[in-house]
Every structure is written in structure tokens, then in C-alpha cells.
Amino acid sequence: MIAIGLLLLVPFVMWCGQSLLLKLHGLPIRYRLDSGDAPRAVRTWGRVITQGSILALIMAYPLLVQGQSPIEFYGAMLPIDGSLKLFAHGAAAATTCLCVLFAIWIATDRMRVDVHQSRRRWMRRLLLLPATAVFGALAEELLFRGVLFSDLLKTFSPSVTVVIGTLIFASAHYVRAVKRWWTIGGHLALGVLLGVSFLVTDRSLWLPVGLHAGGIMMIMGARPFVRYRGPAWLTGASIFPYAGVFGIVGLGVLTAFVARYYGAS
Amino acid sequence: MTREAGAASKLGRIAVRRGENDAESAALTSYVGSASSGEVEYFESKDDADLNDALCSGRFDRAVFLDLNALLTTIWSGYGKIDRWKDAGVTLELVQPPDGDADAWRATVDATFASHSRWCTRQRRNQIVAACVLSALALAAAIVFLVLVPPSR
């Protein structure tokens, strides 16, 4: 339960940082975490503060709560042995699912292949994509599965942990002001998948990190080249193809596959 | 498709794309009947592929559509290769041309067809590239599953 308290500190730190930055730029304080139309420096430093506070939490939890070094604590969840293959499996599973989904949308004209970014921009994005995907997935998995799930499991059963952990994981994506709220269903389904994959592999982070990184790679990799033609409730939109009805059903099928395939091994 | 022998040909053989209902078909029949014509062949709207083949082959001199919508529907469906119809010497006619636009629609249709053809070509190319990339990724993912066996617990 300590992890939930620590997690709640993150938006508080983010809001304090945002208020300070707005004040420094002579702008009024906002009650919401929303820097969309703020000066670039406010947005950039806001991101630095967010990532810095997440990193600080990831580092602090093992030291303060577990009495272990971060390397010792997370090393147990990321062993460098045969279970490393789970990372490749996770990435391959996410890639397969999204390939099928994208192929269906393209075949049914629900998604148009249309390069809408400059060559320079999409090439830079693609070059940075593997590192962005792996680090992004790793940070979220260390936070939500490594810290939150591990802490919740001390108090609750695995199934209750999945429910609470998923709700917190999904709502964390809406702490900042967002353009779309209907994507919450996709985040909930994704939270269940990642939570189940963590539990059925004996609390190894390799499978959830692989699934998460594979998903980011596919979605962000496709982004400069496709346009969703909706309806959004069916196909999802922007970077949320998993939030449409088909995407959520796909995540459900993938969750069942993960539970059956890795849970039985 | 049905074939009717008309009066002695003045403007040659006519291909007519049938209407979607009785009123449209009546308007087409009346138009074709009033015009001096030779052999008339009717094509159902579901047989646009046959109509296209017939017009491309040069079997007809005139092609009659009810209105601009009927002609454009044939183009959108991919069976209205009007550049090839023109090469075969076919003249397009509309029973109900756009208001106040007795003949200017021909240039509009030509430009629309050219634009649509370019768009379709680009779209086809993009889809082929996307299909190749997605297939390669799915194949790579399948190889990972086949080659890397997860550790037993």
C-alpha cells in the first residue's frame, strides 16, 4: 500500500513543478495538469520533472521500503538468464497482434496508408524508436508492475492486485489533461494484459516489458504512415488502435493466450 | 445484358447502363428510343465490368448513362476506364446532364477520372508496401516463436 502513496506523490510533484514554471513565466497557476498551450520551456521542463519524479520513485522504493538496492530488487525481476527470451516473445506477440489488426483495417479501408510527415521527421522517429520503445516500456513496467504490483501483492490476492493495479495504471494515463477520454477501455484492457503477464511468469518483468515495447514499436512506427478512418469506437485512433472495440477484444485474446501459454509452462 | 435491334444506325452501336429503378430505366429507354440509333445493348448496373470490357473492346460507338452520378459510380467502382473508352472511339452521353451544363461535364469527368486514377495508383502502391512490411514483421514474429522456446518453470 506504500507504493500507492508514493505514486500519488508523482502528480503532486508534477503540479508543483508546473506551478513553479508557470509562475516563472508570469502565467497564472492552473489547477489541472495541463501545459498544452503553455510556452515550450514549460512543457519541456514539465516532461523532465515528470520523468525525473518517476525515476526517483523507482529508485527510492527498493531503498526505503524493501531495504534493498535497486539493482538487487529489480534484478530479481529481470534476471539475465533463459527468461530473457520472454522479452522477445512478448515483443513478437504484440507485433503479431498489431500486424493482424493493421492488415484488417487497411484491407477494409478503415486505415489509409498515407505518409503525412516529412521524410526527415519520420526517419528520425524510426531511428530513435527502438530505444524509445524499450526505455518507455521499461520505465512503466518498473513503476506499475515492479513497484505497484509487488507492493499490492503483499496485501492482496493476485486477482485483486490485477484489478487495483489495472485501475491505477489506466487512471495514471489521464492525470494530465488529455484529448480523448474514450481510450480508457483500451488502457484497462492493456493493464490486465500486462498485469497477468507479470503474474504468470513468476513476477518476471521480461514478458510485460516485451509486450509493451513491441506495442509501442508498432504503434509509433506506423504513426507517420497511416491515418485512421474510424469510426474511432471501432478502430481506435492516433496512438490508440488498442482502444477501439477490435483492439480491446484483441487485448482480451492476447491476455487469454498469455495466461494459457505461459501460465501452463 | 439484353440486346434490342433498333432502327437503321446513324450513330452506330449504343451501350446503355440500366437505371436503378423503373423511372430511371424508363428515362433511358425514352432517350434511346428518341435518338436515331442502331443496335442497343443494355447492361445492368451490377454488370459494370462487362460494360467496361465491351466499351474498351470497341464494340460500341456510344455509351449512355442516366446522369453524372451513374457515370461516376462506374468510375469509383474501378470499372469506368474512360481513357480506354475514348481510345476505342466511344462517345459518352448523359440522359440527364447537370443543370446548365449540357456539354461542359465532359471536361470535368475527364479531369476527375485522371485525378482518381492517379490517387488509386498511389494508394495501391502504398498498400503493397504496407502489406510487405506487415508480412515481414509478422514473419519475423513467427520466427521468434518458433526459434526461441520459453524456459520451463
Side-chain angles (χ1 to χ4, degrees):
Chain A
M1 297 296 277
I2 295 168
I4 296 177
L6 289 171
L7 269 172
L8 286 173
L9 277 176
V10 174
F12 178 69
V13 172
M14 287 163 68
W15 184 81
C16 290
Q18 176 184 281
S19 301
L20 184 67
L21 289 165
L22 288 170
K23 199 89 177 157
L24 285 172
H25 284 79
L27 295 166
I29 287 172
R30 299 170 184 182
Y31 293 104
R32 288 234 41 199
L33 277 168
D34 181 8
S35 57
D37 55 348
R40 192 172 180 176
V42 175
R43 286 182 278 133
T44 305
W45 281 105
R47 278 198 288 271
V48 171
I49 291 169
T50 302
Q51 283 157 17
S53 55
I54 288 172
L55 192 64
L57 194 157
I58 290 170
M59 291 297 151
Y61 179 79
L63 292 169
L64 299 177
V65 181
Q66 300 293 126
Q68 289 178 294
S69 73
I71 291 176
E72 195 181 353
F73 180 68
Y74 297 114
M77 297 180 217
L78 293 165
I80 308 296
D81 57 16
S83 64
L84 193 57
K85 290 173 183 171
L86 291 170
F87 173 83
H89 268 230
T95 300
T96 305
C97 283
L98 284 163
C99 278
V100 171
L101 196 67
F102 288 168
I104 292 171
W105 293 148
I106 290 170
T108 55
D109 203 25
R110 295 299 86 209
M111 181 185 263
R112 282 264 166 86
V113 185
D114 178 22
V115 185
H116 53 88
Q117 286 182 3
S118 68
R119 178 186 287 259
R120 188 178 164 170
R121 193 170 172 200
W122 66 251
M123 283 188 83
R124 196 179 61 210
R125 280 189 171 215
L126 288 188
L127 281 173
L128 292 172
L129 188 57
T132 310
V134 171
F135 283 114
L138 193 61
E140 282 204 29
E141 292 315 310
L142 288 176
L143 184 66
F144 291 106
R145 259 54 65 180
V147 172
L148 182 64
F149 265 58
S150 300
D151 200 59
L152 289 172
L153 282 167
K154 290 178 188 168
T155 312
F156 301 107
S157 67
S159 48
V160 174
T161 296
V162 169
V163 172
I164 298 172
T166 295
L167 288 172
I168 294 172
F169 169 77
S171 54
H173 289 83
Y174 299 86
V175 166
R176 281 183 175 279
V178 290
K179 285 184 195 166
R180 305 171 182 85
W181 282 94
W182 55 265
T183 49
I184 186 82
H187 281 119
L188 288 169
L190 182 63
V192 172
L193 167 67
L194 297 171
V196 167
S197 63
F198 176 64
L199 293 177
V200 297
T201 53
D202 281 344
R203 303 187 192 185
S204 163
L205 282 173
W206 285 126
L207 187 60
V209 170
L211 286 162
H212 208 144
I216 294 174
M217 284 275 283
M218 285 296 293
I219 292 168
M220 300 305 280
R223 197 180 184 193
F225 309 110
V226 297
R227 286 187 196 278
Y228 292 82
R229 287 166 48 78
W233 64 267
L234 185 70
T235 63
S238 183
I239 53 169
F240 307 103
Y242 56 87
V245 169
F246 268 73
I248 291 172
V249 170
L251 283 170
V253 171
L254 190 53
T255 304
F257 168 77
V258 163
R260 193 172 172 81
Y261 187 74
Y262 298 99
S265 62
Chain B
M1 70 191 95
T2 57
R3 191 171 295 201
E4 294 171 9
S9 173
K10 182 183 172 188
L11 284 169
R13 297 149 299 175
I14 305 175
V16 181
R17 185 182 188 269
R18 274 198 198 282
E20 303 286 347
N21 53 48
D22 290 346
E24 291 181 3
S25 294
L28 281 158
T29 307
S30 168
Y31 176 86
V32 173
S34 66
S36 297
S37 59
E39 190 177 313
V40 180
E41 194 166 326
Y42 286 90
F43 292 81
E44 299 294 335
S45 53
K46 67 180 175 57
D47 294 329
D48 279 344
D50 296 334
L51 172 64
N52 182 58
D53 290 344
L55 292 172
C56 290
S57 69
R59 274 175 47 207
F60 295 94
D61 303 302
R62 298 161 63 191
V64 178
F65 293 81
L66 178 74
D67 53 17
L68 202 54
N69 179 55
L71 176 56
L72 290 176
T73 301
T74 311
I75 293 175
W76 305 149
S77 69
Y79 295 119
K81 307 289 184 192
I82 62 170
D83 56 340
R84 293 177 61 193
W85 300 354
K86 277 189 163 182
D87 290 345
V90 176
T91 306
L92 294 176
E93 293 174 29
L94 298 183
V95 175
Q96 298 165 357
D99 288 342
D101 188 13
D103 258 340
W105 60 268
R106 292 174 198 281
T108 306
V109 167
D110 286 346
T112 304
F113 172 74
S115 170
H116 182 251
S117 297
R118 282 195 298 275
W119 185 86
C120 286
T121 303
R122 197 181 68 210
Q123 202 58 28
R124 263 196 302 275
R125 190 190 62 207
N126 287 350
Q127 283 182 334
I128 289 168
V129 172
C132 291
V133 171
L134 289 176
S135 300
L137 287 170
L139 198 64
I143 289 169
V144 166
F145 277 119
L146 289 171
V147 173
L148 296 178
V149 179
S152 55
R153 294 186 291 113

Short mmCIF file of all heavy atoms in Angstrom, two decimals, chain B residues 20-54:
data_model
loop_
_atom_site.label_atom_id
_atom_site.label_comp_id
_atom_site.label_asym_id
_atom_site.label_seq_id
_atom_site.Cartn_x
_atom_site.Cartn_y
_atom_site.Cartn_z
N GLU B 20 -31.38 2.30 -61.79
CA GLU B 20 -31.53 1.52 -60.55
C GLU B 20 -33.01 1.21 -60.27
O GLU B 20 -33.31 0.37 -59.44
CB GLU B 20 -30.96 2.31 -59.36
CG GLU B 20 -29.50 2.73 -59.51
CD GLU B 20 -28.55 1.57 -59.31
OE1 GLU B 20 -28.99 0.51 -58.83
OE2 GLU B 20 -27.36 1.72 -59.66
N ASN B 21 -33.92 1.93 -60.95
CA ASN B 21 -35.35 1.67 -60.72
C ASN B 21 -36.12 1.86 -62.03
O ASN B 21 -35.53 2.22 -63.07
CB ASN B 21 -35.90 2.59 -59.62
CG ASN B 21 -35.60 4.05 -59.90
OD1 ASN B 21 -35.85 4.52 -61.01
ND2 ASN B 21 -35.05 4.75 -58.91
N ASP B 22 -37.44 1.66 -61.97
CA ASP B 22 -38.26 1.71 -63.18
C ASP B 22 -38.25 3.10 -63.83
O ASP B 22 -38.21 3.22 -65.05
CB ASP B 22 -39.71 1.31 -62.85
CG ASP B 22 -39.80 -0.18 -62.52
OD1 ASP B 22 -38.82 -0.89 -62.83
OD2 ASP B 22 -40.82 -0.61 -61.96
N ALA B 23 -38.33 4.13 -62.99
CA ALA B 23 -38.37 5.50 -63.52
C ALA B 23 -37.10 5.82 -64.30
O ALA B 23 -37.14 6.40 -65.39
CB ALA B 23 -38.55 6.49 -62.37
N GLU B 24 -35.96 5.42 -63.74
CA GLU B 24 -34.68 5.68 -64.40
C GLU B 24 -34.59 4.88 -65.71
O GLU B 24 -34.14 5.40 -66.74
CB GLU B 24 -33.51 5.32 -63.47
CG GLU B 24 -33.39 6.25 -62.27
CD GLU B 24 -32.22 5.90 -61.36
OE1 GLU B 24 -31.46 4.95 -61.68
OE2 GLU B 24 -32.09 6.55 -60.33
N SER B 25 -35.02 3.63 -65.65
CA SER B 25 -34.97 2.79 -66.85
C SER B 25 -35.88 3.35 -67.94
O SER B 25 -35.53 3.33 -69.12
CB SER B 25 -35.39 1.36 -66.51
OG SER B 25 -34.44 0.78 -65.63
N ALA B 26 -37.04 3.88 -67.52
CA ALA B 26 -37.97 4.47 -68.49
C ALA B 26 -37.35 5.69 -69.17
O ALA B 26 -37.48 5.89 -70.38
CB ALA B 26 -39.27 4.86 -67.78
N ALA B 27 -36.66 6.52 -68.37
CA ALA B 27 -36.00 7.71 -68.92
C ALA B 27 -34.93 7.31 -69.92
O ALA B 27 -34.79 7.93 -70.99
CB ALA B 27 -35.39 8.52 -67.78
N LEU B 28 -34.19 6.25 -69.62
CA LEU B 28 -33.14 5.77 -70.52
C LEU B 28 -33.74 5.24 -71.82
O LEU B 28 -33.27 5.57 -72.93
CB LEU B 28 -32.32 4.67 -69.84
CG LEU B 28 -31.27 5.14 -68.83
CD1 LEU B 28 -30.92 4.02 -67.86
CD2 LEU B 28 -30.01 5.60 -69.56
N THR B 29 -34.81 4.43 -71.68
CA THR B 29 -35.45 3.84 -72.87
C THR B 29 -36.01 4.93 -73.77
O THR B 29 -35.87 4.88 -75.00
CB THR B 29 -36.58 2.89 -72.42
OG1 THR B 29 -36.05 1.98 -71.48
CG2 THR B 29 -37.16 2.13 -73.59
N SER B 30 -36.62 5.94 -73.12
CA SER B 30 -37.20 7.04 -73.89
C SER B 30 -36.10 7.79 -74.64
O SER B 30 -36.26 8.13 -75.82
CB SER B 30 -37.93 7.97 -72.92
OG SER B 30 -38.26 9.16 -73.56
N TYR B 31 -35.00 8.04 -73.97
CA TYR B 31 -33.88 8.78 -74.59
C TYR B 31 -33.33 8.00 -75.78
O TYR B 31 -33.14 8.54 -76.87
CB TYR B 31 -32.79 9.00 -73.54
CG TYR B 31 -31.53 9.66 -74.09
CD1 TYR B 31 -31.45 11.05 -74.19
CD2 TYR B 31 -30.44 8.90 -74.52
CE1 TYR B 31 -30.31 11.66 -74.69
CE2 TYR B 31 -29.31 9.50 -75.03
CZ TYR B 31 -29.24 10.88 -75.10
OH TYR B 31 -28.10 11.47 -75.60
N VAL B 32 -33.10 6.71 -75.55
CA VAL B 32 -32.50 5.89 -76.62
C VAL B 32 -33.49 5.75 -77.78
O VAL B 32 -33.10 5.81 -78.96
CB VAL B 32 -32.11 4.50 -76.07
CG1 VAL B 32 -31.65 3.58 -77.19
CG2 VAL B 32 -31.01 4.63 -75.03
N GLY B 33 -34.78 5.64 -77.45
CA GLY B 33 -35.79 5.49 -78.49
C GLY B 33 -35.92 6.74 -79.35
O GLY B 33 -36.15 6.66 -80.56
N SER B 34 -35.77 7.91 -78.71
CA SER B 34 -35.94 9.16 -79.45
C SER B 34 -34.72 9.49 -80.32
O SER B 34 -34.82 10.22 -81.29
CB SER B 34 -36.19 10.32 -78.48
OG SER B 34 -35.03 10.53 -77.70
N ALA B 35 -33.58 8.96 -79.94
CA ALA B 35 -32.37 9.24 -80.72
C ALA B 35 -32.28 8.24 -81.87
O ALA B 35 -32.68 7.09 -81.74
CB ALA B 35 -31.14 9.11 -79.84
N SER B 36 -31.81 8.71 -83.00
CA SER B 36 -31.59 7.77 -84.11
C SER B 36 -30.47 6.83 -83.70
O SER B 36 -29.40 7.27 -83.29
CB SER B 36 -31.17 8.55 -85.36
OG SER B 36 -32.21 9.40 -85.75
N SER B 37 -30.76 5.57 -83.77
CA SER B 37 -29.74 4.64 -83.28
C SER B 37 -29.79 3.32 -84.01
O SER B 37 -30.76 2.98 -84.67
CB SER B 37 -29.97 4.42 -81.78
OG SER B 37 -31.25 3.90 -81.59
N GLY B 38 -28.72 2.60 -83.84
CA GLY B 38 -28.65 1.27 -84.42
C GLY B 38 -28.90 0.25 -83.34
O GLY B 38 -29.92 0.28 -82.64
N GLU B 39 -27.94 -0.61 -83.16
CA GLU B 39 -28.08 -1.70 -82.19
C GLU B 39 -27.88 -1.16 -80.76
O GLU B 39 -26.93 -0.43 -80.50
CB GLU B 39 -27.03 -2.76 -82.49
CG GLU B 39 -27.22 -4.03 -81.72
CD GLU B 39 -26.17 -5.06 -82.13
OE1 GLU B 39 -25.95 -5.25 -83.34
OE2 GLU B 39 -25.56 -5.64 -81.21
N VAL B 40 -28.81 -1.54 -79.88
CA VAL B 40 -28.73 -1.08 -78.49
C VAL B 40 -28.54 -2.27 -77.57
O VAL B 40 -29.23 -3.28 -77.70
CB VAL B 40 -30.03 -0.33 -78.09
CG1 VAL B 40 -29.93 0.14 -76.63
CG2 VAL B 40 -30.27 0.85 -79.01
N GLU B 41 -27.60 -2.14 -76.68
CA GLU B 41 -27.40 -3.23 -75.71
C GLU B 41 -27.46 -2.64 -74.30
O GLU B 41 -26.79 -1.64 -74.02
CB GLU B 41 -26.04 -3.90 -75.96
CG GLU B 41 -25.90 -5.22 -75.23
CD GLU B 41 -24.71 -6.04 -75.75
OE1 GLU B 41 -24.42 -5.98 -76.96
OE2 GLU B 41 -24.07 -6.71 -74.94
N TYR B 42 -28.27 -3.27 -73.45
CA TYR B 42 -28.45 -2.77 -72.09
C TYR B 42 -27.57 -3.58 -71.13
O TYR B 42 -27.48 -4.80 -71.22
CB TYR B 42 -29.91 -2.90 -71.66
CG TYR B 42 -30.81 -1.86 -72.31
CD1 TYR B 42 -31.44 -2.13 -73.53
CD2 TYR B 42 -31.02 -0.63 -71.71
CE1 TYR B 42 -32.25 -1.18 -74.13
CE2 TYR B 42 -31.84 0.33 -72.31
CZ TYR B 42 -32.45 0.04 -73.51
OH TYR B 42 -33.25 0.98 -74.10
N PHE B 43 -26.97 -2.88 -70.20
CA PHE B 43 -26.14 -3.52 -69.17
C PHE B 43 -26.73 -3.17 -67.80
O PHE B 43 -26.98 -1.99 -67.53
CB PHE B 43 -24.70 -3.03 -69.24
CG PHE B 43 -23.97 -3.46 -70.47
CD1 PHE B 43 -24.13 -2.77 -71.67
CD2 PHE B 43 -23.13 -4.56 -70.45
CE1 PHE B 43 -23.46 -3.17 -72.82
CE2 PHE B 43 -22.45 -4.96 -71.59
CZ PHE B 43 -22.61 -4.27 -72.78
N GLU B 44 -26.92 -4.17 -66.98
CA GLU B 44 -27.38 -3.92 -65.61
C GLU B 44 -26.27 -3.18 -64.86
O GLU B 44 -25.08 -3.34 -65.18
CB GLU B 44 -27.68 -5.24 -64.88
CG GLU B 44 -28.76 -6.08 -65.52
CD GLU B 44 -30.13 -5.43 -65.46
OE1 GLU B 44 -30.35 -4.60 -64.55
OE2 GLU B 44 -30.97 -5.72 -66.34
N SER B 45 -26.67 -2.41 -63.83
CA SER B 45 -25.64 -1.66 -63.08
C SER B 45 -24.66 -2.60 -62.37
O SER B 45 -23.53 -2.22 -62.11
CB SER B 45 -26.31 -0.71 -62.08
OG SER B 45 -27.21 -1.42 -61.27
N LYS B 46 -25.10 -3.83 -62.09
CA LYS B 46 -24.19 -4.80 -61.45
C LYS B 46 -23.18 -5.35 -62.44
O LYS B 46 -22.22 -6.01 -62.03
CB LYS B 46 -24.98 -5.94 -60.81
CG LYS B 46 -25.69 -6.84 -61.80
CD LYS B 46 -26.44 -7.95 -61.09
CE LYS B 46 -27.27 -8.80 -62.04
NZ LYS B 46 -26.54 -9.44 -63.11
N ASP B 47 -23.41 -5.11 -63.72
CA ASP B 47 -22.52 -5.67 -64.75
C ASP B 47 -21.56 -4.62 -65.30
O ASP B 47 -21.23 -4.63 -66.50
CB ASP B 47 -23.34 -6.27 -65.90
CG ASP B 47 -24.14 -7.48 -65.45
OD1 ASP B 47 -23.67 -8.18 -64.54
OD2 ASP B 47 -25.24 -7.71 -65.99
N ASP B 48 -21.10 -3.70 -64.43
CA ASP B 48 -20.20 -2.65 -64.89
C ASP B 48 -18.90 -3.22 -65.48
O ASP B 48 -18.32 -2.62 -66.40
CB ASP B 48 -19.86 -1.70 -63.73
CG ASP B 48 -20.97 -0.67 -63.50
OD1 ASP B 48 -21.81 -0.51 -64.39
OD2 ASP B 48 -20.97 -0.03 -62.43
N ALA B 49 -18.47 -4.36 -64.98
CA ALA B 49 -17.24 -4.97 -65.51
C ALA B 49 -17.44 -5.37 -66.97
O ALA B 49 -16.57 -5.12 -67.82
CB ALA B 49 -16.85 -6.19 -64.68
N ASP B 50 -18.62 -5.95 -67.27
CA ASP B 50 -18.93 -6.35 -68.66
C ASP B 50 -19.05 -5.12 -69.55
O ASP B 50 -18.58 -5.11 -70.69
CB ASP B 50 -20.24 -7.14 -68.71
CG ASP B 50 -20.13 -8.46 -67.95
OD1 ASP B 50 -18.99 -8.96 -67.83
OD2 ASP B 50 -21.17 -8.96 -67.48
N LEU B 51 -19.70 -4.08 -69.01
CA LEU B 51 -19.86 -2.84 -69.77
C LEU B 51 -18.48 -2.27 -70.12
O LEU B 51 -18.21 -1.87 -71.27
CB LEU B 51 -20.66 -1.83 -68.94
CG LEU B 51 -20.77 -0.41 -69.51
CD1 LEU B 51 -21.52 -0.40 -70.83
CD2 LEU B 51 -21.48 0.52 -68.51
N ASN B 52 -17.60 -2.27 -69.12
CA ASN B 52 -16.25 -1.74 -69.35
C ASN B 52 -15.51 -2.54 -70.43
O ASN B 52 -14.91 -1.96 -71.35
CB ASN B 52 -15.47 -1.77 -68.03
CG ASN B 52 -14.07 -1.19 -68.18
OD1 ASN B 52 -13.90 -0.05 -68.57
ND2 ASN B 52 -13.07 -2.01 -67.90
N ASP B 53 -15.58 -3.86 -70.32
CA ASP B 53 -14.90 -4.72 -71.31
C ASP B 53 -15.43 -4.44 -72.71
O ASP B 53 -14.66 -4.34 -73.67
CB ASP B 53 -15.11 -6.21 -70.97
CG ASP B 53 -14.34 -6.61 -69.72
OD1 ASP B 53 -13.43 -5.85 -69.32
OD2 ASP B 53 -14.67 -7.67 -69.14
N ALA B 54 -16.77 -4.32 -72.80
CA ALA B 54 -17.40 -4.10 -74.11
C ALA B 54 -16.97 -2.77 -74.70
O ALA B 54 -16.67 -2.66 -75.90
CB ALA B 54 -18.91 -4.16 -73.96
#
